[in-house]
Amino acid sequence: MRFSDKLKERGRFLTDTLFPGPYQCFLCDEEAVLGEDGLCDECRQSLRYVPEPICLPPLDGIAIGIRYSDSVSQAILRFKKSGETDYAPFFAQFLSVPKDWNADLLVPVPMHPLKKWLRRFNHTELLCAYVSHATGIPYSTALLHKVRLTAEQKSLDAPERYRNIRNSFKADPRVKGLRIVLIDDVFTTGATVYECARALKACGASRVYLSAISSPSR
């Protein structure tokens, strides 16, 4: 996938002029000369990539794109809280699905229906669509659901996050035998994705992996 083509959908690219602009970096949101990745030189140089993180059951593998930082945090908030959905192709370029996972299906980490209605979209579904297009792996929003409304995880410590999210997801029996990749934005304690994986494996999924945009240093 040529993400540069998708990034033009942001609506800030005047590509029909001799000197297109203004270009605004997706991380610092400042006007600058950008590369095809949607970043200015300074932000590109500031990115740090995450080495292979520790993976614990019930997940079978984890792939993380970039290290969490203030600029990454603010950009993710603009994407999922402010409704700037044109960030989807930008962040999708940091999501990877290793070939040796032999994935059958991509599944976005679901949002409770009420919360999705209030926000008007689920950002992980948009990410899933772009990753599916780039990899050729199909995706589904019908096989994993959030069935219990929970408090915001961000405001809780690690033990509270696990208690808060327990038994809040339900998987469809059609996942039986499938190798599934969960798509999410930030991996911190892992409470949410571990609970998703537990629900999927309880319904017979053979492998469950995670691909996330970012994670703090681990």
Side-chain angles (χ1 to χ4, degrees), residues 42-118:
E42 184 175 349
C43 284
R44 185 180 304 106
Q45 292 170 9
S46 73
L47 287 183
R48 297 293 179 266
Y49 293 88
V50 178
E52 186 174 350
I54 297 172
C55 179
L56 300 173
L59 285 174
D60 296 289
I62 300 174
I64 305 292
I66 53 179
R67 188 160 292 168
Y68 203 64
S69 65
D70 287 342
S71 60
V72 172
S73 170
Q74 291 305 310
I76 289 176
L77 286 175
R78 289 195 294 272
F79 174 30
K80 68 181 189 179
K81 294 292 181 70
S82 300
E84 297 189 34
T85 57
D86 45 2
Y87 271 83
F90 168 72
F91 280 123
Q93 68 185 313
F94 300 111
L95 292 165
S96 63
V97 181
K99 293 285 188 183
D100 61 4
W101 287 0
N102 296 311
D104 297 309
L105 192 69
L106 307 176
V107 171
V109 170
M111 185 181 289
H112 189 273
L114 176 59
K115 189 172 180 180
K116 183 178 177 180
W117 179 78
L118 291 171

